[in-house]
Amino acid sequence: MTLWPKQSECAAFYGDPRGAYGLANATWEARSLVYISPPYRIFFLGKPARMRVHKKCADAFMAWLEAVWANSGKDPKVIKDWGMDNYGGGYNFRLMTGGRAISMHGYGCAADFDAPRNGWRDRTPHFATLREQIVKPFLALGGVWGGDWDGDGDSLDERSCDGMHYQFARLG
């Protein structure tokens, strides 16, 4: 299992995605990001999609999605029922919600799934009912699931529950 960097170490591990004036760095994107296709179809805003993630965690994302596919019995209907076909995005150069640090999405080491049933600050995310099938395989790869964050995010020392969010970066 890979020991993923702490969030504060992501620029050193994944490279700094910031370019001139704090905007996205196109050279970093071209050098660092890859597209992966899960073993089943995923959709972004209702359209077929692939995931754009950092090449250092692409194999881990694929291993996770392969495990989810196997746990579903390789049944597209089960994947749809679970919400694992409803892709909310991977790489997105932006700051963390309410913060100044780059989001884990900005490093390409995070992905969101089934936002409608796993909303930000929803302390009872749908994926909690699928912990064995979906969350546990991700954690086994050293990943962090935002649904395990139990705060409401109102203080500096807590993180808002974010059940749609999966990242290959440790907290801290």
Side-chain angles (χ1 to χ4, degrees), residues 92-106:
N92 179 9
F93 185 79
R94 63 177 178 80
L95 297 179
M96 288 184 184
T97 302
R100 293 184 180 193
I102 294 173
S103 165
M104 295 303 100
H105 290 281

Side-chain angles (χ1 to χ4, degrees), residues 140-159:
L141 293 164
V144 172
W145 177 49
D148 284 334
W149 304 334
D150 61 3
D152 61 13
D154 286 341
S155 68
L156 294 175
D157 62 341
E158 66 181 14
R159 297 174 185 273

Side-chain angles (χ1 to χ4, degrees), residues 6 41 47 52 96 109 115 128 136 159:
K6 290 182 178 180
R41 291 185 70 179
K47 296 181 180 176
R52 191 173 185 205
M96 288 184 184
C109 67
K136 190 174 177 181
R159 297 174 185 273

Side-chain angles (χ1 to χ4, degrees), residues 6-58:
K6 290 182 178 180
Q7 290 178 319
S8 61
E9 303 165 339
C10 280
F13 184 82
Y14 290 114
D16 191 342
R18 290 174 292 207
Y21 309 107
L23 301 174
N25 182 332
T27 302
W28 177 89
E29 287 182 22
R31 186 178 63 244
S32 303
L33 302 175
V34 296
Y35 283 97
I36 60 172
S37 296
Y40 52 86
R41 291 185 70 179
I42 61 171
F43 300 87
F44 180 78
L45 299 175
K47 296 181 180 176
R50 296 180 297 163
M51 294 174 63
R52 191 173 185 205
V53 299
H54 198 286
K55 64 184 177 183
K56 286 188 175 182
C57 57

Side-chain angles (χ1 to χ4, degrees), residues 51-100:
M51 294 174 63
R52 191 173 185 205
V53 299
H54 198 286
K55 64 184 177 183
K56 286 188 175 182
C57 57
D59 288 345
F61 272 118
M62 281 301 296
W64 172 51
L65 296 168
E66 290 282 355
V68 169
W69 183 232
N71 289 344
S72 76
K74 298 186 176 182
D75 185 341
K77 183 182 181 316
V78 172
I79 291 293
K80 183 174 181 57
D81 289 346
W82 287 353
M84 284 301 293
D85 67 331
N86 187 354
Y87 178 55
Y91 171 72
N92 179 9
F93 185 79
R94 63 177 178 80
L95 297 179
M96 288 184 184
T97 302
R100 293 184 180 193

